[in-house]
Amino acid sequence: MATGKTNIERTRAAKTDRKPRGGLSESKADAATRMIRDRILDLTYAPGSRLHDPDLMEQLSLGRTPVREAINRLAAEGLVEITANQAPTVKPLDFQEILQLFEAYRAISQLTAAYIDLADPDLREDIARMQDAHREAIRANKPLDVSHWNYAVHIRLIESSRNHHLITACQRIHNQARRLNTMVYSLEAGKAEYPGYSLSIADRQHDALLGAIDSGDRNRISDVLDDHALTFRSRFVHMIEGGNDNA
């Protein structure tokens, strides 16, 4: 049990502040992972594109060893596919993959609701702080940071379970969903209603989640997280179609 608590504290320290951004405490492998991940998430490295070592080394100004370590880490996260005797590939995003991802996202949200530790004394404070950072990222028009804080909220919820199998599963699915999340916010940022439209959805969802946590009602938390998942899917569909979702 003590090990699980230590892991939560370590993760909280990392995720309540999006640092380091190339700071002194960031290793070269960490920097490579962050930069490649960000370029995958914002579609600079398009789904299905090859990631060649020489290109990455030049673009990131890093050596082969940290670049390869980053590729292995991102493969473990499910963002990169590695095949023998071929350059690694950014995981494709075809229709079937997106459909399955939304199904998994909704299912993992229900697992989170079932296993969240409502007795975690720091949970509400951590979630509220992350929600504040999420809204600030929306105001600043930083889609990558918006997707980061959305990810951080959901991972903090499941981390309260101290079940490393569930935590790993949630990390993988929510990390994959960050590509779609980043795309949604990038497209919404081009709308005349931005940031008011996106903030209105965030405010509603944030208040609902905090209220559900305060109530201690697991069924209510389940409903709130299911609404999050369905709204995420609806916003993605509407953005792709060029419309808007006022849900």
Side-chain angles (χ1 to χ4, degrees):
M1 185 68 70
T3 300
K5 182 64 175 176
T6 300
N7 183 58
I8 291 177
E9 290 171 347
R10 182 170 59 251
T11 305
R12 181 186 307 132
K15 289 179 179 173
T16 52
D17 188 0
R18 262 210 94 187
K19 295 178 181 178
R21 298 290 293 183
L24 295 177
S25 62
E26 186 177 41
S27 72
K28 290 182 179 180
D30 290 341
T33 303
R34 170 179 56 77
M35 289 189 285
I36 296 172
R37 183 193 294 115
D38 282 355
R39 295 180 187 199
I40 290 173
L41 295 175
D42 70 8
L43 304 182
T44 297
Y45 297 154
S49 62
R50 296 285 185 184
L51 299 173
H52 298 279
D53 283 358
D55 294 338
L56 294 174
M57 293 163 60
E58 179 180 357
Q59 292 164 9
L60 307 179
S61 299
L62 291 170
R64 189 180 303 274
T65 297
V67 164
R68 288 190 170 178
E69 173 63 23
I71 292 298
N72 288 331
R73 292 182 186 181
L74 294 169
E77 293 180 10
L79 292 174
V80 170
E81 295 180 341
I82 298 177
T83 304
N85 302 318
Q86 296 184 28
T89 304
V90 177
K91 186 174 178 63
L93 269 180
D94 56 25
F95 176 79
Q96 188 64 26
E97 170 66 20
I98 292 172
L99 178 62
Q100 291 182 1
L101 179 55
F102 277 125
E103 290 174 346
Y105 189 95
R106 189 178 183 189
I108 209 72
S109 295
Q110 293 309 293
L111 275 176
T112 298
Y115 286 93
I116 185 175
D117 180 6
L118 296 172
D120 185 325
D122 300 313
L123 182 63
R124 190 192 192 283
E125 179 184 351
D126 288 347
I127 295 300
R129 183 165 56 248
M130 292 172 180
Q131 288 176 337
D132 287 342
H134 180 259
R135 284 190 291 264
E136 184 56 36
I138 293 174
R139 295 187 188 97
N141 191 10
K142 296 182 177 180
L144 271 176
D145 285 354
V146 175
S147 72
H148 164 80
W149 290 114
N150 181 73
Y151 169 94
V153 166
H154 288 277
I155 298 308
R156 178 63 183 91
L157 290 172
I158 194 60
E159 280 176 341
S160 70
S161 73
R162 300 180 179 82
N163 184 316
H164 72 92
H165 294 290
L166 292 177
I167 294 169
T168 299
C170 283
Q171 287 173 333
R172 185 179 180 90
I173 291 171
H174 281 284
N175 205 37
Q176 296 249 12
R178 280 192 66 191
R179 279 199 286 182
L180 303 185
N181 197 298
T182 301
M183 186 186 305
V184 165
Y185 278 102
S186 295
L187 291 171
E188 287 183 355
K191 298 288 185 180
E193 300 87 353
Y194 191 88
Y197 165 69
S198 298
L199 283 171
S200 68
I201 295 176
D203 288 341
R204 175 177 63 80
Q205 293 185 333
H206 291 176
D207 289 346
L209 180 56
L210 290 179
I213 292 173
D214 288 340
S215 74
D217 186 338
R218 200 171 296 276
N219 289 331
R220 184 174 170 186
I221 294 172
S222 175
D223 289 343
V224 169
L225 293 182
D226 196 46
D227 174 70
H228 283 204
L230 293 174
T231 301
F232 175 30
R233 184 178 65 184
S234 177
R235 291 169 79 180
F236 177 80
V237 170
H238 278 256
M239 286 298 99
I240 293 301
E241 293 176 345
N244 214 337
D245 180 16
N246 294 310

PDB file of all heavy atoms in Angstrom, residues 108-125:
ATOM      1  N   ILE A 108     -13.217   2.414 -20.268  1.00  0.00           N
ATOM      2  CA  ILE A 108     -12.223   2.649 -19.229  1.00  0.00           C
ATOM      3  C   ILE A 108     -12.706   3.720 -18.262  1.00  0.00           C
ATOM      4  O   ILE A 108     -12.349   3.714 -17.080  1.00  0.00           O
ATOM      5  CB  ILE A 108     -10.862   3.032 -19.855  1.00  0.00           C
ATOM      6  CG1 ILE A 108      -9.712   2.586 -18.930  1.00  0.00           C
ATOM      7  CG2 ILE A 108     -10.764   4.519 -20.130  1.00  0.00           C
ATOM      8  CD1 ILE A 108      -9.490   1.101 -18.902  1.00  0.00           C
ATOM      9  N   SER A 109     -13.562   4.623 -18.727  1.00  0.00           N
ATOM     10  CA  SER A 109     -14.142   5.623 -17.833  1.00  0.00           C
ATOM     11  C   SER A 109     -15.032   4.963 -16.786  1.00  0.00           C
ATOM     12  O   SER A 109     -15.061   5.384 -15.618  1.00  0.00           O
ATOM     13  CB  SER A 109     -14.948   6.653 -18.640  1.00  0.00           C
ATOM     14  OG  SER A 109     -14.106   7.395 -19.492  1.00  0.00           O
ATOM     15  N   GLN A 110     -15.750   3.922 -17.200  1.00  0.00           N
ATOM     16  CA  GLN A 110     -16.606   3.211 -16.251  1.00  0.00           C
ATOM     17  C   GLN A 110     -15.781   2.394 -15.260  1.00  0.00           C
ATOM     18  O   GLN A 110     -16.147   2.268 -14.087  1.00  0.00           O
ATOM     19  CB  GLN A 110     -17.586   2.318 -17.013  1.00  0.00           C
ATOM     20  CG  GLN A 110     -18.603   3.097 -17.839  1.00  0.00           C
ATOM     21  CD  GLN A 110     -19.307   4.168 -17.016  1.00  0.00           C
ATOM     22  OE1 GLN A 110     -20.073   3.853 -16.101  1.00  0.00           O
ATOM     23  NE2 GLN A 110     -19.047   5.432 -17.315  1.00  0.00           N
ATOM     24  N   LEU A 111     -14.665   1.851 -15.713  1.00  0.00           N
ATOM     25  CA  LEU A 111     -13.757   1.169 -14.793  1.00  0.00           C
ATOM     26  C   LEU A 111     -13.200   2.154 -13.768  1.00  0.00           C
ATOM     27  O   LEU A 111     -13.068   1.833 -12.589  1.00  0.00           O
ATOM     28  CB  LEU A 111     -12.611   0.517 -15.569  1.00  0.00           C
ATOM     29  CG  LEU A 111     -12.864  -0.871 -16.142  1.00  0.00           C
ATOM     30  CD1 LEU A 111     -11.671  -1.332 -16.966  1.00  0.00           C
ATOM     31  CD2 LEU A 111     -13.158  -1.874 -15.029  1.00  0.00           C
ATOM     32  N   THR A 112     -12.890   3.339 -14.235  1.00  0.00           N
ATOM     33  CA  THR A 112     -12.388   4.367 -13.329  1.00  0.00           C
ATOM     34  C   THR A 112     -13.417   4.675 -12.249  1.00  0.00           C
ATOM     35  O   THR A 112     -13.095   4.754 -11.062  1.00  0.00           O
ATOM     36  CB  THR A 112     -12.040   5.647 -14.108  1.00  0.00           C
ATOM     37  OG1 THR A 112     -10.999   5.363 -15.046  1.00  0.00           O
ATOM     38  CG2 THR A 112     -11.588   6.754 -13.174  1.00  0.00           C
ATOM     39  N   ALA A 113     -14.668   4.850 -12.663  1.00  0.00           N
ATOM     40  CA  ALA A 113     -15.725   5.140 -11.691  1.00  0.00           C
ATOM     41  C   ALA A 113     -15.890   4.006 -10.685  1.00  0.00           C
ATOM     42  O   ALA A 113     -16.154   4.245  -9.501  1.00  0.00           O
ATOM     43  CB  ALA A 113     -17.040   5.381 -12.428  1.00  0.00           C
ATOM     44  N   ALA A 114     -15.705   2.785 -11.138  1.00  0.00           N
ATOM     45  CA  ALA A 114     -15.891   1.626 -10.257  1.00  0.00           C
ATOM     46  C   ALA A 114     -14.772   1.481  -9.236  1.00  0.00           C
ATOM     47  O   ALA A 114     -14.999   0.985  -8.122  1.00  0.00           O
ATOM     48  CB  ALA A 114     -15.996   0.356 -11.095  1.00  0.00           C
ATOM     49  N   TYR A 115     -13.561   1.918  -9.593  1.00  0.00           N
ATOM     50  CA  TYR A 115     -12.410   1.651  -8.727  1.00  0.00           C
ATOM     51  C   TYR A 115     -11.785   2.892  -8.100  1.00  0.00           C
ATOM     52  O   TYR A 115     -10.827   2.780  -7.338  1.00  0.00           O
ATOM     53  CB  TYR A 115     -11.340   0.883  -9.521  1.00  0.00           C
ATOM     54  CG  TYR A 115     -11.724  -0.552  -9.750  1.00  0.00           C
ATOM     55  CD1 TYR A 115     -12.396  -0.935 -10.906  1.00  0.00           C
ATOM     56  CD2 TYR A 115     -11.442  -1.531  -8.794  1.00  0.00           C
ATOM     57  CE1 TYR A 115     -12.771  -2.245 -11.115  1.00  0.00           C
ATOM     58  CE2 TYR A 115     -11.816  -2.842  -8.990  1.00  0.00           C
ATOM     59  CZ  TYR A 115     -12.483  -3.198 -10.158  1.00  0.00           C
ATOM     60  OH  TYR A 115     -12.856  -4.509 -10.361  1.00  0.00           O
ATOM     61  N   ILE A 116     -12.323   4.058  -8.381  1.00  0.00           N
ATOM     62  CA  ILE A 116     -11.799   5.268  -7.754  1.00  0.00           C
ATOM     63  C   ILE A 116     -11.913   5.152  -6.237  1.00  0.00           C
ATOM     64  O   ILE A 116     -12.896   4.634  -5.703  1.00  0.00           O
ATOM     65  CB  ILE A 116     -12.580   6.507  -8.267  1.00  0.00           C
ATOM     66  CG1 ILE A 116     -11.972   7.798  -7.726  1.00  0.00           C
ATOM     67  CG2 ILE A 116     -14.047   6.413  -7.921  1.00  0.00           C
ATOM     68  CD1 ILE A 116     -12.639   9.039  -8.312  1.00  0.00           C
ATOM     69  N   ASP A 117     -10.885   5.621  -5.529  1.00  0.00           N
ATOM     70  CA  ASP A 117     -10.891   5.587  -4.069  1.00  0.00           C
ATOM     71  C   ASP A 117     -11.466   6.906  -3.563  1.00  0.00           C
ATOM     72  O   ASP A 117     -10.777   7.931  -3.525  1.00  0.00           O
ATOM     73  CB  ASP A 117      -9.467   5.374  -3.538  1.00  0.00           C
ATOM     74  CG  ASP A 117      -9.419   5.326  -2.015  1.00  0.00           C
ATOM     75  OD1 ASP A 117     -10.499   5.339  -1.377  1.00  0.00           O
ATOM     76  OD2 ASP A 117      -8.292   5.281  -1.470  1.00  0.00           O
ATOM     77  N   LEU A 118     -12.703   6.866  -3.150  1.00  0.00           N
ATOM     78  CA  LEU A 118     -13.372   8.078  -2.701  1.00  0.00           C
ATOM     79  C   LEU A 118     -12.841   8.566  -1.357  1.00  0.00           C
ATOM     80  O   LEU A 118     -13.156   9.683  -0.938  1.00  0.00           O
ATOM     81  CB  LEU A 118     -14.874   7.832  -2.622  1.00  0.00           C
ATOM     82  CG  LEU A 118     -15.551   7.535  -3.972  1.00  0.00           C
ATOM     83  CD1 LEU A 118     -17.004   7.117  -3.762  1.00  0.00           C
ATOM     84  CD2 LEU A 118     -15.467   8.751  -4.879  1.00  0.00           C
ATOM     85  N   ALA A 119     -12.034   7.743  -0.704  1.00  0.00           N
ATOM     86  CA  ALA A 119     -11.454   8.142   0.585  1.00  0.00           C
ATOM     87  C   ALA A 119     -10.092   8.808   0.412  1.00  0.00           C
ATOM     88  O   ALA A 119      -9.490   9.238   1.410  1.00  0.00           O
ATOM     89  CB  ALA A 119     -11.313   6.922   1.498  1.00  0.00           C
ATOM     90  N   ASP A 120      -9.609   8.909  -0.808  1.00  0.00           N
ATOM     91  CA  ASP A 120      -8.326   9.564  -1.068  1.00  0.00           C
ATOM     92  C   ASP A 120      -8.430  11.023  -0.615  1.00  0.00           C
ATOM     93  O   ASP A 120      -9.183  11.807  -1.200  1.00  0.00           O
ATOM     94  CB  ASP A 120      -8.009   9.493  -2.563  1.00  0.00           C
ATOM     95  CG  ASP A 120      -6.633  10.034  -2.924  1.00  0.00           C
ATOM     96  OD1 ASP A 120      -6.188  10.996  -2.274  1.00  0.00           O
ATOM     97  OD2 ASP A 120      -6.015   9.504  -3.857  1.00  0.00           O
ATOM     98  N   PRO A 121      -7.668  11.426   0.400  1.00  0.00           N
ATOM     99  CA  PRO A 121      -7.858  12.766   0.988  1.00  0.00           C
ATOM    100  C   PRO A 121      -7.438  13.920   0.077  1.00  0.00           C
ATOM    101  O   PRO A 121      -7.891  15.048   0.274  1.00  0.00           O
ATOM    102  CB  PRO A 121      -6.982  12.718   2.246  1.00  0.00           C
ATOM    103  CG  PRO A 121      -5.919  11.713   1.923  1.00  0.00           C
ATOM    104  CD  PRO A 121      -6.614  10.665   1.086  1.00  0.00           C
ATOM    105  N   ASP A 122      -6.575  13.648  -0.897  1.00  0.00           N
ATOM    106  CA  ASP A 122      -6.067  14.712  -1.761  1.00  0.00           C
ATOM    107  C   ASP A 122      -6.729  14.747  -3.137  1.00  0.00           C
ATOM    108  O   ASP A 122      -6.401  15.618  -3.953  1.00  0.00           O
ATOM    109  CB  ASP A 122      -4.549  14.544  -1.958  1.00  0.00           C
ATOM    110  CG  ASP A 122      -3.792  14.600  -0.642  1.00  0.00           C
ATOM    111  OD1 ASP A 122      -4.079  15.520   0.151  1.00  0.00           O
ATOM    112  OD2 ASP A 122      -2.940  13.719  -0.403  1.00  0.00           O
ATOM    113  N   LEU A 123      -7.639  13.815  -3.377  1.00  0.00           N
ATOM    114  CA  LEU A 123      -8.188  13.655  -4.719  1.00  0.00           C
ATOM    115  C   LEU A 123      -8.886  14.918  -5.209  1.00  0.00           C
ATOM    116  O   LEU A 123      -8.589  15.422  -6.292  1.00  0.00           O
ATOM    117  CB  LEU A 123      -9.152  12.470  -4.761  1.00  0.00           C
ATOM    118  CG  LEU A 123      -9.755  12.164  -6.131  1.00  0.00           C
ATOM    119  CD1 LEU A 123      -8.678  11.769  -7.136  1.00  0.00           C
ATOM    120  CD2 LEU A 123     -10.805  11.046  -6.017  1.00  0.00           C
ATOM    121  N   ARG A 124      -9.806  15.441  -4.421  1.00  0.00           N
ATOM    122  CA  ARG A 124     -10.575  16.593  -4.882  1.00  0.00           C
ATOM    123  C   ARG A 124      -9.690  17.806  -5.141  1.00  0.00           C
ATOM    124  O   ARG A 124      -9.834  18.493  -6.157  1.00  0.00           O
ATOM    125  CB  ARG A 124     -11.661  16.964  -3.870  1.00  0.00           C
ATOM    126  CG  ARG A 124     -12.642  17.995  -4.424  1.00  0.00           C
ATOM    127  CD  ARG A 124     -13.530  18.591  -3.359  1.00  0.00           C
ATOM    128  NE  ARG A 124     -14.623  19.349  -3.933  1.00  0.00           N
ATOM    129  CZ  ARG A 124     -14.499  20.580  -4.443  1.00  0.00           C
ATOM    130  NH1 ARG A 124     -13.317  21.172  -4.470  1.00  0.00           N
ATOM    131  NH2 ARG A 124     -15.562  21.194  -4.953  1.00  0.00           N
ATOM    132  N   GLU A 125      -8.753  18.054  -4.231  1.00  0.00           N
ATOM    133  CA  GLU A 125      -7.862  19.203  -4.387  1.00  0.00           C
ATOM    134  C   GLU A 125      -7.021  19.062  -5.656  1.00  0.00           C
ATOM    135  O   GLU A 125      -6.842  20.026  -6.406  1.00  0.00           O
ATOM    136  CB  GLU A 125      -6.953  19.330  -3.166  1.00  0.00           C
ATOM    137  CG  GLU A 125      -5.970  20.491  -3.256  1.00  0.00           C
ATOM    138  CD  GLU A 125      -5.019  20.536  -2.077  1.00  0.00           C
ATOM    139  OE1 GLU A 125      -5.224  19.766  -1.111  1.00  0.00           O
ATOM    140  OE2 GLU A 125      -4.049  21.333  -2.134  1.00  0.00           O
TER     141      GLU A 125
END
